[in-house]
Amino acid sequence: MDFISTRGQAAPQAFADVLLAGPASDGGLFLPSAWPVLEKAEIAALAQRSYGEAAFTILSRFADGSFSPDALRADIGAAYAGFETPAIAPLVDLGQGLHLLELFHGPTLAFKDVAMQLLGRMFARALAERGRRATVVAATSGDTGSAAIAALGGMPNLDVFVLHPKGRVSEVQRLQMTTAPFGNVHNIALEGSFDDAQAIVKALFADTTFANDVNLTAVNSINFVRIAAQIVYYFTAAATLDAPPVFVVPTGNFGDIFAGEAAMRMGLAAERLVVATNQNDILARALNRGVYETGEVHATLSPSMDIQVASNFERALFEASGRNADWLRGAMVDFTRTRRLVLPDPVRQSLAARYAASRSDDAETLATIARVYRDCGRLIDPHTAVAMTAAEAYRGGAAPVVVLSTAHPAKFPDAVRRATGQVPPLPPRLKGLYDGVERVQALPNNLEQVRTFIASRLDR
Ligand SMILES: *Cc1c(COP(=O)(O)O)cnc(C)c1O
């Protein structure tokens, strides 16, 4: 399968090249040239399959031609062997048509492990086949960084640089990144916001001389392979329900929820995709009012969603415009300059047919955590709580509602304790986290200094 850029000016690429490239050379994002569509019977049969088999069914459609079936099966098997539960992404019935899709059973306790563990294996394989080294640079609001380090730490053919916004990630998130005992992992605490970190990563890619020199690549959700791996759990969750569900997704960079759109384009019957945001509500405003406009970034209790520029929204705009790359290229260039984009009516209508959106603030997040604990005896993390708040606000009739639970409550113990008085116990796999030695470099929000730091660490 070939992949094309949302901005229409990069040559089509194969799956393995998309994996290693990250963003497209024209500044756009890769998508399949045409969505593979699964037969109804094939989708229904997923209910009887293991998670790994479901992943193979879906990912082989994309990886065909780049990875042999045996290689793909091996990488999927290795990626999910380290998960705490054999179901990988269990769907928990909370009663009254409400379900929780638990995506936090991987090594770093957030949903990003689901894609990153697989991506890491595929990266190692694709680089080894090509005899290449690569440099991964990732901006993180907290969870991508730890997931990337857990997946890529210690790999012989990769150097990994992770930029997190200094002081704006939870303590567990920071320690997971900075105490990782790997020589090829370099943590940068950037004096700025997540958006500043993401802007620096984008600028490093735009510096093609530097990017080519160090073989720069991205494992953020702009990498289509991340999205591809996340499509799987939409299928496995829906397969066990008796009607097309509403999926409610705590959203930051629009990667996870776009995987839901991808699943629908591949034939999955779903009622609606609900974007749940915290106070950083650019997406809720864009979908509800038709103006995509950045505001100030607020630090919230759900820091992995403290984002004002949602990179993957570009993919949804590409599809909603009928794949109009010429319009999108102009629109994105204007948006980068003015921080504002008025969505044309047809685009808005197309988005509205698929997505709903709502926002909530920290007070509601705490109230929801407390209520779920009181009613169900379960501790949920603040990101899951943002989605749960949106699920309660959404009036969708009789369809089953699936709330994506994106992090383990122990990853955000302060918010959970404030809401419930309970401290969620750290799972055994994280014991010892507080005893590790931290390795991190603080840097100002300055492209030149970040580039110089990266170059100095690569200078062997
Ligand atoms: C990254 C993250 C999100 C947001 O996912 P996007 O793909 O960026 O929309 C939500 N919850 C948690 C816990 C996360 O780590």
Side-chain angles (χ1 to χ4, degrees):
M1 155 147 313
D2 265 352
F3 293 79
I4 56 169
S5 166
T6 50
R7 300 199 190 173
Q9 294 191 323
Q13 304 275 329
F15 182 82
D17 296 315
V18 167
L19 167 75
L20 294 177
S25 58
D26 60 0
L29 304 178
F30 283 112
L31 282 173
S33 55
W35 289 102
V37 176
L38 276 69
E39 303 286 335
K40 277 211 169 61
E42 212 172 1
I43 294 172
L46 295 178
Q48 266 71 54
R49 299 262 176 86
S50 70
Y51 189 88
E53 287 163 356
F56 180 80
T57 300
I58 289 153
L59 292 165
S60 58
R61 299 298 211 286
F62 298 117
D64 187 37
S66 280
F67 289 91
S68 71
D70 284 349
L72 184 59
R73 280 208 172 84
D75 288 347
I76 290 171
Y80 298 122
F83 276 57
E84 209 73 82
T85 154
I88 311 302
L91 189 67
V92 178
D93 189 347
L94 297 184
Q96 297 180 335
L98 190 61
H99 304 263
L100 207 57
L101 180 58
E102 292 185 349
L103 301 173
F104 52 70
H105 295 287
T108 71
L109 310 184
F111 87 95
K112 295 192 170 75
D113 289 324
V114 178
M116 203 72 86
Q117 283 291 317
L118 181 59
L119 186 116
R121 265 85 188 178
M122 291 179 151
F123 243 93
R125 182 184 296 279
L127 286 172
E129 277 171 4
R130 289 165 173 70
R132 263 172 60 185
R133 282 193 76 77
T135 303
V136 168
V137 181
T140 182
S141 52
D143 294 329
T144 297
S146 49
I149 290 167
L152 306 173
M155 276 192 184
N157 41 17
L158 272 172
D159 289 283
V160 184
F161 293 84
V162 175
L163 287 80
H164 70 263
K166 189 174 176 194
R168 299 202 198 188
V169 298
S170 84
E171 187 176 33
V172 174
Q173 287 178 318
R174 191 191 77 239
L175 289 170
Q176 282 182 319
M177 294 190 278
T178 59
T179 64
F182 303 113
N184 69 331
V185 169
H186 314 278
N187 280 288
I188 298 171
L190 192 78
E191 284 152 6
S193 68
F194 169 75
D195 291 302
D196 294 329
Q198 186 161 256
I200 286 186
V201 171
K202 281 185 182 163
L204 290 171
F205 275 96
D207 178 352
T208 46
T209 311
F210 177 77
N212 290 336
D213 273 359
V214 304
N215 232 329
L216 199 61
T217 184
V219 297
N220 285 72
S221 55
I222 51 177
N223 193 312
F224 179 75
V225 179
R226 286 272 304 277
I227 310 273
Q230 290 168 195
I231 293 170
V232 176
Y233 48 71
Y234 284 90
F235 275 99
T236 59
T240 63
L241 298 170
D242 45 23
V246 174
F247 288 100
V248 189
V249 187
T251 297
N253 221 352
F254 213 80
D256 203 10
I257 198 159
F258 184 77
E261 174 172 345
M264 290 171 78
R265 294 191 179 277
M266 293 174 74
L268 183 72
E271 183 74 18
R272 195 159 287 270
L273 301 170
V274 180
V275 174
T277 73
N278 63 23
Q279 278 176 75
N280 299 293
D281 61 351
I282 178 171
L283 289 164
R285 284 185 283 114
L287 292 165
N288 293 329
R289 298 188 208 151
V291 183
Y292 183 61
E293 184 173 26
T294 60
E296 282 275 290
V297 184
H298 299 283
T300 73
L301 294 175
S302 42
S304 303
M305 297 159 29
D306 289 350
I307 289 175
Q308 282 288 343
V309 181
S311 303
N312 283 291
F313 194 48
E314 176 165 345
R315 289 188 157 112
L317 290 175
F318 181 67
E319 295 292 355
S321 68
R323 299 198 146 202
N324 187 341
D326 291 336
W327 166 73
L328 188 60
R329 187 167 61 248
M332 284 293 131
V333 169
D334 286 351
F335 173 74
T336 305
R337 204 180 59 240
T338 64
R339 317 305 278 170
R340 186 169 199 270
L341 171 64
V342 178
L343 303 180
D345 277 341
V347 170
R348 218 184 140 177
Q349 279 152 20
S350 167
L351 290 169
R354 192 179 303 277
Y355 292 102
S358 69
R359 78 182 290 258
S360 53
D361 61 20
D362 280 350
E364 291 168 285
T365 298
L366 291 171
T368 297
I369 296 173
R371 188 172 55 249
V372 169
Y373 181 60
R374 202 176 53 230
D375 295 350
C376 311
R378 274 183 158 265
L379 297 175
I380 57 171
D381 99 286
H383 304 79
T384 306
V386 168
M388 193 63 91
T389 307
E392 285 165 2
Y394 181 77
R395 295 273 167 264
V401 174
V402 175
V403 170
L404 273 63
S405 184
T406 48
H408 191 289
K411 210 160 179 183
F412 302 93
D414 295 343
V416 174
R417 186 177 38 78
R418 261 175 77 188
T420 65
Q422 305 291 313
V423 179
L426 214 53
R429 67 196 325 165
L430 292 193
K431 290 268 155 61
L433 187 62
Y434 289 90
D435 309 326
V437 179
E438 290 196 66
R439 288 186 309 130
V440 57
Q441 175 73 47
L443 288 178
N445 177 19
N446 176 289
L447 172 63
E448 194 42 54
Q449 295 200 37
V450 173
R451 188 167 37 211
T452 305
F453 174 76
I454 293 174
S456 73
R457 289 297 167 104
L458 292 177
D459 197 16
R460 288 168 263 271

